[in-house]
Amino acid sequence: MKKLLSVLSSFSLITFSTLSVVSCAGDFDYDSVYTEEPEGNNGQFVDDSTLKIVTKAEKLVNNHASIGANLGEAAHGKEWSDLSSDVKGSIQDQVYNYISDQLDLDASRFQLEIARDSTFSIPKLKGLTNESITEEAIVDSGNVKFYLKYLNKEIYRGEIKWSIPEFDVISSIANILNSNSAKNSIYDIKKIDIPLGAVDFSGVSMELTLGTITNLIGLLNTLLDSSLLGDVGVGIKNIMNMDVKGLAKADPDKNQSVYESFDKDFRKNLQTVFNGIKKLLDNFGIPSTITIPSFFEGKEPIEVSVDKLLEVNIFDIIDLDLSNLNEDIHQDVDSGMAIVGSVPVDIHVEGSMTSKGQKNSLKLIDLISNVAPNVVKLLNKFLNPDTYNPELGGSGNLLYLLLKELITDMDQDLETINRNNNDDNLSAGAAKSGLDSMFFNLILGYNKNKREEKDSAIYFKLKVQITAVPLGLTVKIDLLDDNLYQLLNKVRINPGEIVLKIINKLFNLEGEEYLDLNKPFISSEDNMQFIEPIDIYYDEIMSEADITEKPSIPFVDSDEVVRGILSGLDTSVTTQIADQINGMINGALPTLSLQDVINFKPSILLEQLGIVSENLENAEVKITQAHFVFQFWEPINKEWVSQTTGINDITFERYSSMKLHFFDVQFQIDMNTESNGSYTLKTRDDLRFDMIFDIADANKN
């Protein structure tokens, strides 16, 4: 008995618990508590599992417990006192089981009891107003007392504060988001990544974001002069060192060898880069096969080794079917002659495209090589650290820099190359912006002597045939039978203006002060007019029209009839061509609202606003309302200025960076759990935050 009391007393020193003496009588053999064996500690040994259990119990007491208990109606606001005794008992049993599981008790030696009296309480979520969390969300913890016994002797008692995961997640998310309320003088300015898509490396998907590209550029800037990148670095530096200035000085009619050498060297250097990427992946044990998804129905994804990527056929990835251009139109046209009157006319339109003389074939290397001078210039700009140095007029805002590169005047060398090769072309000869240069080089190539069908990477041809029947006799006219360069000499197209018109849907708000979250800022249904009938030079078209069949009409000048028919078709043809081009561009535009962009990868925005990623696995959080406007940094006055009337090249002379300002934002938190059903709660509706694209902009107020 003395030894037993001594052992039990030692528990009190270990567990800091108050123990009381009990009688020796009981259901258990207390001799198993200690041992008399000579190798032991003379009867003072106690099984160390008791200490482990007590340690676990102390951790439970010292930490908030999140118990996956089913609270029934109490999870949605019903008071404990209003619950039935069966429901109360079930909740208490679940709490008991949780504690037992956490302690991992051996039931043959340990006993656990919880207090099922008035001291037991359940958690409550406070801060709700009509299913919205408009103030701080507070979880009033539940309370449970428990008693731990060893061989019928109480060795520990404690009290646990507990909640359910649903309340913990909701309160955490809501409080983080509500901290950005307009009632607070300080709100979040976050550098938010922009998702662009995903790349599949041998079944492993890698997210591609604006941040990924920014980090890659930073890595290349750091390692470019080292040997760590191997052939990747060699190939990139070789491209950067290519002589675009020399190409600009060369006369394409007299120095064709300069152009041919430039093209050959670019292709070789670009292939070196992709060969180097494969070597790096192989060296690190990373599969070098990537999966390229097909963007139209009926085509399976393509698996290709990185070093073979440049040989991929674009037709296997993107639907470049031009059959939708083919159209037959019927109308009656006034001939302009009283004796002839109105003439029924059928118009047949047919488009086709080849690459290097081959149908349904366009290699990636040929497409990229068309813009080789532009690639050299872009690499020299974006792999130059000075580009990102504000003290040298640079910016760390990659999105701003890309917009600036596209919208402002093209580089002087690129302008000279364009003039040397496109000066006599109505459209390409008028190119002005960086985007103009990129676009015309892409579709035409920068070398005017490589635009025949057998040489051109993109050889597009449009035929327009007219069949007229004046006085019951047939007249046939080939109105157009032109390749792309010839078409661009009869139809004035300015790609920079077209893209700027699309971009300005975000910046020209037509009298409004902001854009709404759910209102599309781009839509094919806008039917934007990118070219007008006046941009179609019909006189030029008429002058080259080929009359393939002309009947002899008694007492009537057949040529005059044909000229009358062609003149009568002026409005019809120019309107038709303009509608075709506008329809193609509008049809290619997606319908996009900011909600669509955010929902493409919402976790990126939410995690960077401070939401723990684990919580996003248990709850869906989405923006239900928001207003937003782009703001540009004015360095002289040191202020952010909202852009609501559109941007142009002057914008990038006046401002040095840009951000996206959100206000009147409201989030909705949705949870659906097996234990406690569904929750749909909303935050305040006056939240605000800024999405910046350069960390340096976080300190600009």
Side-chain angles (χ1 to χ4, degrees):
M1 179 64 184
K2 181 179 179 181
K3 287 185 178 181
L4 176 60
L5 294 177
S6 176
V7 169
L8 294 176
S9 297
S10 69
F11 286 163
S12 66
L13 298 177
I14 296 172
T15 64
F16 302 97
S17 299
T18 302
L19 305 180
S20 57
V21 180
V22 296
S23 168
C24 288
D27 299 329
F28 292 91
D29 178 12
Y30 286 97
D31 290 339
S32 63
V33 178
Y34 57 91
T35 178
E36 297 284 1
E37 295 178 3
E39 295 83 5
N41 59 357
N42 296 320
Q44 301 302 312
F45 175 77
V46 177
D47 187 345
D48 67 354
S49 64
T50 54
L51 179 58
K52 291 178 180 178
I53 294 297
V54 169
T55 301
K56 289 180 181 180
E58 288 179 333
K59 287 182 178 179
L60 278 177
V61 169
N62 294 329
N63 293 285
H64 175 86
S66 186
I67 301 176
N70 181 350
L71 299 186
E73 293 178 295
H76 297 272
K78 195 167 186 178
E79 294 294 331
W80 172 257
S81 58
D82 295 329
L83 299 177
S84 68
S85 58
D86 288 343
V87 172
K88 290 179 180 179
S90 173
I91 294 173
Q92 290 171 335
D93 287 344
Q94 293 174 73
V95 173
Y96 173 91
N97 291 336
Y98 171 83
I99 299 173
S100 178
D101 290 342
Q102 294 299 306
L103 296 178
D104 192 20
L105 298 175
D106 178 354
S108 68
R109 293 181 297 159
F110 292 93
Q111 288 179 305
L112 173 67
E113 294 178 3
I114 65 169
R116 297 176 182 253
D117 54 18
S118 60
T119 62
F120 182 93
S121 62
I122 58 174
K124 293 182 179 180
L125 179 62
K126 290 188 172 181
L128 297 180
T129 304
N130 297 326
E131 295 191 344
S132 292
I133 303 177
T134 57
E135 302 298 332
E136 182 182 6
I138 299 174
V139 177
D140 271 358
S141 297
N143 187 76
V144 58
K145 292 180 178 180
F146 71 97
Y147 310 94
L148 183 62
K149 294 182 178 181
Y150 182 80
L151 302 178
N152 273 353
K153 180 64 182 180
E154 184 180 304
I155 59 172
Y156 188 86
R157 66 172 57 184
E159 190 172 327
I160 296 175
K161 301 293 184 183
W162 67 284
S163 179
I164 57 175
E166 292 88 343
F167 288 176
D168 294 336
V169 170
I170 289 171
S171 62
S172 173
I173 294 175
N175 289 339
I176 289 172
L177 296 176
N178 277 342
S179 66
N180 293 310
S181 168
K183 72 176 184 178
N184 300 328
S185 59
I186 299 175
Y187 63 95
D188 270 345
I189 299 176
K190 296 290 187 180
K191 189 175 188 299
I192 306 294
D193 211 351
I194 299 177
L196 303 175
V199 179
D200 194 328
F201 276 90
S202 297
V204 179
S205 183
M206 182 182 75
E207 293 292 337
L208 183 64
T209 67
L210 186 66
T212 308
I213 296 174
T214 302
N215 292 337
L216 179 60
I217 290 173
L219 181 64
L220 289 174
N221 272 326
T222 303
L223 301 178
L224 198 56
D225 292 326
S226 74
S227 61
L228 295 175
L229 293 178
D231 285 346
V232 176
V234 172
I236 291 175
K237 285 192 290 186
N238 285 345
I239 293 175
M240 293 173 66
N241 290 330
M242 290 182 67
D243 189 8
V244 178
K245 194 171 290 295
L247 184 68
K249 291 178 180 179
D251 185 334
D253 293 321
K254 299 177 181 179
N255 305 108
Q256 189 60 205
S257 60
V258 175
Y259 276 78
E260 291 176 354
S261 295
F262 192 91
D263 179 70
K264 181 180 178 181
D265 291 343
F266 179 82
R267 290 169 181 266
K268 177 183 176 182
N269 293 331
L270 190 60
Q271 185 61 56
T272 298
V273 173
F274 282 85
N275 289 342
I277 293 173
K278 183 180 188 305
K279 288 179 183 177
L280 284 177
L281 293 173
D282 290 343
N283 290 340
F284 284 104
I286 301 173
S288 58
T289 299
I290 65 173
T291 301
I292 306 173
S294 175
F295 291 94
F296 64 103
E297 192 174 350
K299 288 282 188 178
E300 295 295 324
I302 298 172
E303 289 193 356
V304 60
S305 178
V306 173
D307 59 327
K308 304 297 182 184
L309 186 61
L310 294 175
E311 296 299 314
V312 166
N313 183 6
I314 302 297
F315 275 85
D316 291 335
I317 304 171
I318 302 172
D319 186 2
L320 292 176
D321 182 13
L322 299 179
S323 61
N324 59 340
L325 283 177
N326 301 342
E327 189 172 4
D328 290 300
I329 306 160
H330 176 83
Q331 67 180 83
D332 293 328
V333 177
D334 186 355
S335 67
M337 302 177 66
I339 193 173
V340 177
S342 180
V343 178
V345 174
D346 290 308
I347 303 173
H348 175 70
V349 182
E350 183 178 335
S352 63
M353 192 182 86
T354 61
S355 178
K356 301 295 181 73
Q358 301 294 315
K359 288 186 177 181
N360 300 320
S361 174
L362 176 56
K363 291 183 178 180
L364 181 60
I365 182 63
D366 293 329
L367 195 62
I368 298 176
S369 294
N370 265 16
V371 291
N374 304 80
V375 173
V376 174
K377 287 291 184 178
L378 287 172
L379 287 179
N380 275 284
K381 177 166 187 174
F382 287 99
L383 293 183
N384 181 354
D386 291 348
T387 298
Y388 309 98
N389 188 344
E391 295 180 0
L392 298 175
S395 171
N397 189 328
L398 185 60
L399 187 62
Y400 168 86
L401 291 173
L402 288 171
L403 276 176
K404 182 178 181 180
E405 188 68 19
L406 293 175
I407 292 173
T408 57
D409 289 352
M410 72 177 80
D411 173 89
Q412 186 60 49
D413 292 332
L414 296 177
E415 193 279 329
T416 302
I417 293 171
N418 185 73
R419 184 174 63 251
N420 289 343
N421 290 274
N422 300 316
D423 198 38
D424 59 348
N425 189 270
L426 174 67
S427 297
K432 179 182 178 183
S433 68
L435 182 62
D436 290 337
S437 172
M438 179 79 74
F439 178 81
F440 287 121
N441 283 347
L442 183 71
I443 65 173
L444 297 174
Y446 59 91
N447 184 355
K448 69 178 184 179
N449 293 306
K450 294 292 183 180
R451 289 174 179 164
E452 295 298 324
E453 185 171 8
K454 65 182 177 62
D455 299 317
S456 180
I458 299 177
Y459 189 83
F460 175 79
K461 197 155 191 178
L462 183 68
K463 291 183 178 181
V464 178
Q465 297 173 318
I466 295 174
T467 301
V469 188
L471 301 177
L473 302 173
T474 301
V475 177
K476 292 186 177 182
I477 307 165
D478 286 345
L479 189 63
L480 284 175
D481 188 8
D482 292 346
N483 62 32
L484 194 53
Y485 188 82
Q486 293 166 332
L487 279 172
L488 290 171
N489 209 28
K490 298 174 182 177
V491 181
R492 190 187 73 85
I493 293 178
N494 188 311
E497 291 180 0
I498 291 173
V499 172
L500 185 58
K501 192 164 190 174
I502 297 170
I503 291 174
N504 264 327
K505 295 288 287 183
L506 283 169
F507 299 100
N508 187 347
L509 309 187
E510 300 178 346
E512 300 292 335
E513 295 298 318
Y514 54 80
L515 285 167
D516 186 76
L517 173 75
N518 295 303
K519 181 180 179 181
F521 53 83
I522 295 177
S523 173
S524 58
E525 296 180 1
D526 289 342
N527 291 321
M528 288 186 280
Q529 299 301 301
F530 301 103
I531 69 167
E532 303 290 342
I534 196 174
D535 295 318
I536 316 298
Y537 282 58
Y538 190 69
D539 288 343
E540 186 74 18
I541 294 174
M542 282 183 57
S543 68
E544 297 184 12
D546 183 19
I547 304 171
T548 59
E549 184 177 330
K550 179 180 67 173
S552 175
I553 306 175
F555 311 111
V556 174
D557 184 341
S558 297
D559 287 341
E560 188 175 351
V561 171
V562 173
R563 285 194 297 271
I565 293 171
L566 288 175
S567 296
L569 287 172
D570 184 340
T571 301
S572 175
V573 170
T574 55
T575 301
Q576 182 64 30
I577 294 176
D579 287 347
Q580 283 273 12
I581 295 173
N582 289 328
M584 286 174 60
I585 299 173
N586 278 301
L589 295 177
T591 297
L592 278 180
S593 67
L594 190 64
Q595 184 75 276
D596 298 319
V597 177
I598 290 174
N599 285 338
F600 179 67
K601 197 69 177 178
S603 60
I604 291 179
L605 169 65
L606 294 165
E607 286 179 26
Q608 291 172 338
L609 283 173
I611 307 299
V612 179
S613 59
E614 287 80 3
N615 284 345
L616 292 174
E617 295 175 2
N618 301 312
E620 179 186 358
V621 184
K622 60 184 178 183
I623 298 178
T624 55
Q625 73 170 50
H627 299 144
F628 68 98
V629 64
F630 279 94
Q631 297 181 332
F632 281 68
W633 178 250
E634 214 284 348
I636 296 177
N637 296 323
K638 298 188 183 312
E639 63 178 354
W640 290 103
V641 180
S642 296
Q643 295 299 312
T644 60
T645 58
I647 62 173
N648 52 40
D649 54 346
I650 304 299
T651 304
F652 297 92
E653 294 178 7
R654 180 179 177 186
Y655 303 103
S656 61
S657 192
M658 61 183 286
K659 71 176 181 179
L660 191 54
H661 177 57
F662 290 84
F663 59 100
D664 291 344
V665 181
Q666 184 176 55
F667 289 88
Q668 180 173 302
I669 306 166
D670 290 304
M671 293 189 71
N672 189 3
T673 66
E674 291 185 13
S675 299
N676 292 296
S678 299
Y679 293 85
T680 297
L681 300 171
K682 294 181 179 180
T683 64
R684 295 177 61 91
D685 60 5
D686 63 350
L687 308 185
R688 55 180 177 164
F689 57 89
D690 288 344
M691 181 186 291
I692 61 172
F693 312 105
D694 177 14
I695 198 65
D697 289 340
N699 300 319
K700 296 174 181 175
N701 299 317

